[in-house]
Amino acid sequence: MFRKRSSLILCGTFLFVTWNAVLVLLLWGRTSPGQPGAGQLDPASMPTDDVVGDVIRIANSFESELEKQKEILSQILSHQSLWKPAKRKRVKVNVPSPPVIPILVIACNRVTVRRCLDKLLELRPSAELYPIIVSQDCGHTATADVIASYGDKVTHLKQPDLSDIPVRPEHKKFQGYYKISRHYRWALNQVFRTLSHSSVVIVEDDLEVAPDFFEYFRALHPVLQSDPSLWCVSAWNDNGRDGMVDPGQPALLYRTDFFPGLGWMLLREAWEELEPKWPASFWDDWMRQPEQRRGRSCIRPEISRTLTFGRQGVSLGQFYDKYLKFIKLNSEFVPFTKLDLAYLQEDAYRTSFTKQVYSAAVVTYEDVKQGRLSGSGPFRLQYSSKDSFKVMAKSLGIMDDLKSGVPRTGYRGVVSFFYRGRRIYLAPPPGWSQYDPTWS
């Protein structure tokens, strides 16, 4: 079609130029009287001694020819629609905006919240996509002053109910756990109901985050949204002590049946399910019960993206000196948003992980403990009871407690960790089907 239009344009232009050239030659190149061939011309067109008459005749001839040229040009222009390129319609493409993922910092009476906020603000790639909301309980003035010093860089919320909570006499020493649970409920309602966010990442005021903390949650947000078999994403590895993780695999992620906490993402739909039955205390252990988990998993990293620096708190340093202060914080930025995370989908992951574990060479506890392993691994160390799990876990330096029968970091009963540079799977016998809640 375009070639036909081009041919029409060239043809019309050629005719117009050629006709005018012929006209000029006819009018000005005529032979004078007496020259050879003069007798062949039309007498009416020959010049005479009447100069004025000749000029008038020439002018009339020009006028007549101009009229013909105007008619030809008019015909060419009448076909303009055939050779003029059609205008392209602009198609408006609606590109969805990236979701806003607020960071909720749970604070109370620790002025060291500054360390947490400084790192979040330093690493935050966008204030619009990652608004920081600090929810403060306790009414501690010095901590409130620290939070207020950040101005509009953060949103400062204050939990209004600071009253003591009536508890049974034997639970009086756990008053702090009751207040924390009340605060979590109020803060999450503020995020999801008052501020109308669709997701949130919760950190506590004693956590420091890794360089790729925001990248990690940005990449896993759509994974969490699209997979109903998941209900959280955590930045924490309970067994992530230095020497117990593979430093060469900072991008490695796992599914886990154990709720890790300590920097975790939750969707509004999950909160709407949990909020009506939210517990009065010990909310994290409550999250680990079968009635809440409902067979769902969380995502957790090989190397933690958070590090706790808060030894003092309501737990009075439980686990801190023995485990938590040795957790390795990832230092290498991993571009998770550019990686293919399809391997985390439930069916694919279960098949692949189960094959890895149960095709690994079976070894004894003594072989692992005394370093008598041959080859690069991985290796499978089998437990058959709650007691055998706890003995081996404690001796090898991983956390030995179970919640509703689920070991920390466990997936289908398997705990994966590094020991003396080799991958070890502490696993139940083949054919595992379910957790035993009495193992607690």
Side-chain angles (χ1 to χ4, degrees):
M1 186 67 183
F2 181 74
R3 289 182 178 178
K4 289 181 179 180
R5 291 173 181 171
S6 300
S7 298
L8 284 171
I9 295 170
L10 292 173
C11 183
T13 304
F14 177 76
L15 288 173
F16 183 77
V17 173
T18 303
W19 181 259
N20 280 279
V22 171
L23 177 63
V24 172
L25 290 173
L26 285 174
L27 292 176
W28 295 103
R30 290 188 295 181
T31 309
S32 301
Q35 288 183 338
Q40 299 174 8
L41 297 175
D42 182 3
S45 64
M46 292 178 62
T48 66
D49 293 335
D50 184 2
V51 177
V52 175
D54 287 345
V55 171
I56 291 173
R57 284 197 305 273
I58 292 171
N60 289 336
S61 297
F62 266 114
E63 185 177 357
S64 176
E65 295 304 327
L66 284 173
E67 288 298 325
K68 292 179 181 179
Q69 298 305 311
K70 285 172 63 178
E71 185 179 351
I72 293 172
L73 185 59
S74 177
Q75 291 178 5
I76 294 173
L77 292 175
S78 69
H79 293 84
Q80 184 180 17
S81 61
L82 297 176
W83 50 265
K84 188 176 182 180
K87 290 184 178 180
R88 293 182 179 178
K89 292 183 179 180
R90 292 185 177 181
V91 180
K92 188 176 181 181
V93 179
N94 292 322
V95 179
S97 300
V100 174
I101 305 176
I103 311 299
L104 174 63
V105 180
I106 300 293
C108 181
N109 58 359
R110 288 190 279 219
V111 294
T112 51
V113 66
R114 182 181 297 280
R115 176 176 170 181
C116 172
L117 292 176
D118 283 348
K119 186 58 71 171
L120 285 170
L121 289 168
E122 174 192 340
L123 297 174
R124 180 173 66 171
S126 166
E128 291 73 25
L129 295 179
Y130 305 96
I132 296 174
I133 303 165
V134 185
S135 181
Q136 185 191 2
D137 199 2
C138 308
H140 190 252
T141 302
T143 301
D145 290 343
V146 170
I147 299 168
S149 70
Y150 289 90
D152 60 3
K153 293 179 181 178
V154 305
T155 299
H156 186 186
L157 305 178
K158 296 181 179 180
Q159 204 280 109
D161 186 359
L162 304 181
S163 63
D164 283 341
I165 299 172
V167 297
R168 302 193 305 270
E170 62 270 25
H171 273 209
K172 191 172 182 179
K173 62 181 178 180
F174 300 131
Q175 178 74 210
Y177 289 101
Y178 281 83
K179 289 186 175 182
I180 288 174
S181 190
R182 177 178 66 184
H183 184 198
Y184 263 83
R185 185 176 198 166
W186 181 86
L188 288 169
N189 275 332
Q190 293 300 304
V191 169
F192 289 122
R193 297 183 176 175
T194 304
L195 300 176
S196 300
H197 289 293
S198 60
S199 63
V200 67
V201 174
I202 303 116
V203 299
E204 296 187 359
D205 57 359
D206 61 347
L207 289 182
E208 182 176 329
V209 301
D212 55 359
F213 173 86
F214 292 95
E215 173 80 359
Y216 174 78
F217 283 108
R218 172 64 57 185
L220 288 166
H221 183 271
V223 176
L224 179 61
Q225 276 192 318
S226 62
D227 190 344
S229 69
L230 294 173
W231 71 319
C232 85
V233 174
S234 174
W236 181 258
N237 177 358
D238 276 299
N239 291 316
R241 293 197 300 167
D242 199 5
M244 313 255 346
V245 294
D246 186 349
Q249 295 198 70
L252 181 59
L253 305 178
Y254 296 85
R255 293 176 71 103
T256 176
D257 300 324
F258 190 91
F259 172 72
L262 294 173
W264 56 288
M265 180 161 59
L266 181 73
L267 300 180
R268 178 167 51 201
E269 293 79 6
W271 177 243
E272 289 172 349
E273 171 195 326
L274 297 171
E275 193 272 342
K277 54 180 181 177
W278 192 251
S281 62
F282 304 105
W283 68 270
D284 49 350
D285 284 343
W286 176 83
M287 291 274 286
R288 293 160 183 152
Q289 294 174 359
E291 295 79 8
Q292 280 61 255
R293 191 172 69 82
R294 293 170 50 198
R296 294 171 293 189
S297 300
C298 295
I299 300 295
R300 60 102 175 166
E302 168 76 1
I303 304 177
S304 290
R305 265 60 187 185
T306 53
L307 174 70
T308 178
F309 54 84
R311 184 180 186 279
Q312 299 301 321
V314 293
S315 64
L316 302 177
Q318 182 186 21
F319 297 131
Y320 184 82
D321 290 329
K322 191 173 183 180
Y323 296 103
L324 303 183
K325 72 177 182 180
F326 300 109
I327 294 294
K328 176 181 175 61
L329 181 67
N330 181 61
S331 59
E332 178 182 340
F333 185 93
V334 175
F336 283 109
T337 56
K338 298 179 181 178
L339 302 182
D340 183 1
L341 301 178
Y343 71 92
L344 293 170
Q345 294 174 357
E346 182 181 23
D347 291 341
Y349 186 87
R350 180 191 298 141
T351 301
S352 174
F353 186 79
T354 303
K355 182 179 180 181
Q356 281 182 333
V357 171
Y358 290 100
S359 63
V362 179
V363 294
T364 67
Y365 163 74
E366 290 75 16
D367 291 336
V368 176
K369 186 68 176 177
Q370 297 176 20
R372 296 199 304 251
L373 301 178
S374 177
S376 58
F379 300 97
R380 176 160 55 97
L381 181 59
Q382 186 167 295
Y383 67 89
S384 56
S385 66
K386 171 187 172 182
D387 290 339
S388 65
F389 170 84
K390 291 181 72 69
V391 167
M392 287 189 284
K394 188 172 184 177
S395 179
L396 294 172
I398 62 175
M399 298 188 78
D400 65 335
D401 61 326
L402 303 102
K403 303 291 183 178
S404 298
V406 184
R408 290 183 184 266
T409 75
Y411 176 72
R412 299 183 65 79
V414 180
V415 175
S416 173
F417 62 99
F418 233 46
Y419 193 82
R420 295 186 177 181
R422 291 177 174 88
R423 175 67 58 190
I424 306 295
Y425 297 119
L426 183 55
W432 179 97
S433 59
Q434 63 183 6
Y435 292 103
D436 183 348
T438 65
W439 290 22
S440 193

